Amino acid sequence: MSITKLFSLHGKTAIVTGGGRGLGQQIAEVYADAGANVVVCSRNFEATGN
């Protein structure tokens, strides 16, 4: 079994608090790369990249 299948998050949803910058942002990006639907929460709207 490949590592990408072993850690696949396809069909899952991840809510990442503090995902607008720093470590939270990195975690959100990795979850998205693994196939998850990602919801990013941040105290500052500008930090979410919208």
Side-chain angles (χ1 to χ4, degrees):
M1 177 175 278
S2 72
I3 194 76
T4 54
K5 284 187 179 181
L6 183 62
F7 293 105
S8 174
L9 295 176
H10 289 282
K12 305 289 184 182
T13 300
I15 301 171
V16 181
T17 58
R21 60 185 166 150
L23 185 58
Q25 180 181 8
Q26 295 298 313
I27 291 170
E29 290 174 1
V30 169
Y31 285 172
D33 287 344
N37 298 309
V38 179
V39 177
V40 176
C41 301
S42 180
R43 289 184 292 172
N44 298 320
F45 183 74
E46 293 79 22
T48 63
N50 289 314

